[in-house]
Amino acid sequence: MTTDALVQVDALGPAGAYRARYREPVTDVTGRTVAEVGLVPDPYVARAMAALRKGTTAPLEQRRAMLRTAAGLFGSATLLGLGPDDYQHLVSRVAGLGITAVRASTEKIVARCASAWEDAQAARPAGAVTGWRDPEARDGAALWSRRGDVFGVHAAGNHPSVHAAWIQALALGYRVAVRPSRKEPFTPARLVAALREAGFGADAVVLLPTDHAVSATMLRLADLSMVYGGDAVIQRYGADPTVLPQGPGRTKILLAADADWRDHADLVDLVADSAARSGGAGCTNVTGVLVEGGADEARAFATALADRLATLPVTHPEDDDAVLPVHPVAAARALETQLRSVAADAEPVGATADSIVAELGDGSAALRPAVHLLASAAAPQLGAELPFPCVWVAPWSRAGDGVAPLRGTLVLTALTNDDALIDALAEERTIRNVYVGARPTWWADPRVPHDDYLAGFLMESRGIVSTA
């Protein structure tokens, strides 16, 4: 992976590492080139997918042991020329993500890799067995089976934690192809290298850096795929039963009148943490806050939130206390222009009303949090997501607005003790995760589905009766 000058990211294909002729620079937050990624052509992708199709799946206990070994390697070994500290520093500098968040992501990937099989069982129906030898199959049962053999992953580069998810596919017996983001290819490269060193064969997992056009070949030749992206991805793949799209979250927090946020300062901290954790670029970072009690109450909360977010340090991503995302200055200015366009008639609140860009003096800039006050919960900005802490606050009325402004939400934290309101939120199926009480929106647990269980997409139940 490394040379004396630049880190090199190569494909990990069916015949081992492959250095593609066409190479694309990977830059850090100052715009300096720090790595190159080789983009493989269409015929290479087709050959790799054919190798996966012909590959064999290791027995379950062997897969579980290899995953535990891979977890340890990912967290502590030197892989592809980078030790764990070098890898985390590089990801932080390239993605502009705080180093503490990158370290936490490493720990998450290690944990999810070690327990991938066990985590997947949360999606298994209660009446299903995992093999025909199970004693319950003698009287008849459901057999939990793969829907295919080859799984494609079109990964995102906004956060390394996205790679904690697809490991379950290997645990369930799929052969997996990963197309990394060209912005941050280091995490999937390190993970695939760890998996291979742990024993997964070149016909079991491959890394295929390539452009968007060629990645369509990977998706076409896989049985099932997972694709990350924005609204365009949802529109393109939403109706395709073989693709699991991972789109915007439009995550929200509802502060009902009985939450008494004025008397509980920790609720302001909870909303601020939900907005800014890991740089605010994830689909589970809150972007919309609805406040019951009228326009004055919403304004008061927006001001308190903006004041709290203004205390976050402005610093380089590799510093231990870094939270805010960092980009090259030109990219940061472009995002500020996009914010102004999206905000339109919304009222900016707090210290960043004039500018969210804080230059760091080396060609990079931190994006400070933005808080805007909306006239109503029906304002279109409530569903807008931008890749930094950006919160839209609006007044909300349970009688006038109801659950309508909350539809299409990935995670909703509801601060209320009103059972009738909780019933209404729990029954609204377009709210994918309902957290009642003081729970940050970024909170996750393997037992709790993200947007349904990945294993629910990968597996199906068939009938089995066996007296053998």
Side-chain angles (χ1 to χ4, degrees), residues 374-448:
L374 302 177
S376 79
Q381 294 95 330
L382 190 66
E385 279 190 359
L386 293 168
F388 56 90
C390 178
V391 183
W392 313 93
V393 180
W396 176 80
S397 162
R398 70 182 70 191
D401 297 310
V403 300
L406 300 167
R407 292 183 179 129
T409 295
L410 175 60
V411 179
L412 171 68
T413 288
L415 279 303
T416 182
N417 294 311
D418 184 331
D419 287 354
L421 176 57
I422 297 170
D423 283 342
L425 299 175
E427 291 173 4
E428 175 51 53
R429 64 179 182 83
T430 67
I431 304 174
R432 304 301 290 166
N433 295 62
V434 179
Y435 299 167
V436 180
R439 182 80 62 178
T441 56
W442 50 259
W443 179 85
D445 185 277
R447 297 166 297 178
V448 179

Side-chain angles (χ1 to χ4, degrees), residues 156-396:
N158 61 321
H159 200 291
S161 287
V162 300
H163 295 284
W166 59 259
I167 307 168
Q168 282 192 19
L170 278 172
L172 293 168
Y174 278 86
R175 279 93 70 187
V176 178
V178 183
R179 184 265 180 186
S181 161
R182 287 178 285 175
K183 177 183 176 183
E184 197 279 273
F186 313 110
T187 299
R190 181 175 179 82
L191 184 51
V192 171
L195 290 162
R196 287 196 170 188
E197 192 161 322
F200 284 95
D203 61 354
V205 59
V206 297
L207 180 79
L208 302 174
T210 191
D211 60 27
H212 275 275
V214 176
S215 67
T217 296
M218 180 192 76
L219 300 179
R220 177 172 56 82
L221 296 176
D223 295 318
L224 298 173
S225 300
M226 179 164 62
V227 180
Y228 290 83
D231 287 325
V233 165
I234 300 299
Q235 292 172 2
R236 181 173 181 180
Y237 296 109
D240 187 338
T242 69
V243 177
L244 180 65
Q246 300 288 289
R250 298 189 171 87
T251 290
K252 298 178 182 69
I253 291 178
L254 174 62
L255 293 171
D258 63 301
D260 293 330
W261 68 266
R262 291 175 185 274
D263 295 330
H264 298 85
D266 55 338
L267 292 185
V268 178
D269 293 341
L270 180 142
V271 177
D273 185 33
S274 295
R277 179 67 67 106
S278 294
C283 57
T284 58
N285 287 113
V286 67
T287 54
V289 177
L290 299 177
V291 183
E292 189 175 28
D296 290 344
E297 195 70 3
R299 177 181 295 280
F301 182 80
T303 301
L305 177 62
D307 289 346
R308 174 65 185 85
L309 288 169
T311 65
L312 294 175
V314 174
T315 187
H316 301 276
E318 66 273 21
D319 293 341
D320 285 342
D321 58 348
V323 176
L324 301 177
V326 177
H327 295 273
V329 170
R333 295 288 180 197
L335 284 168
E336 182 172 56
T337 299
Q338 184 182 1
L339 170 66
R340 300 305 175 214
S341 175
V342 172
D345 60 349
E347 178 185 339
V349 178
T352 58
D354 293 332
S355 178
I356 61 170
V357 176
E359 296 194 27
L360 297 174
D362 61 352
S364 68
L367 286 170
R368 298 187 298 166
V371 177
H372 287 79
L373 184 64
L374 302 177
S376 79
Q381 294 95 330
L382 190 66
E385 279 190 359
L386 293 168
F388 56 90
C390 178
V391 183
W392 313 93
V393 180
W396 176 80

Side-chain angles (χ1 to χ4, degrees), residues 1-24 35-41 44 47 80-81 207-209:
M1 192 173 184
T2 60
T3 69
D4 291 340
L6 296 174
V7 174
Q8 301 290 326
V9 181
D10 298 319
L12 296 174
Y18 173 76
R19 182 150 297 183
R21 181 178 304 173
Y22 180 76
R23 310 196 69 73
E24 193 168 90
E36 289 182 341
V37 56
L39 303 185
V40 296
Y44 185 92
R47 288 196 297 272
L80 302 173
L207 180 79
L208 302 174

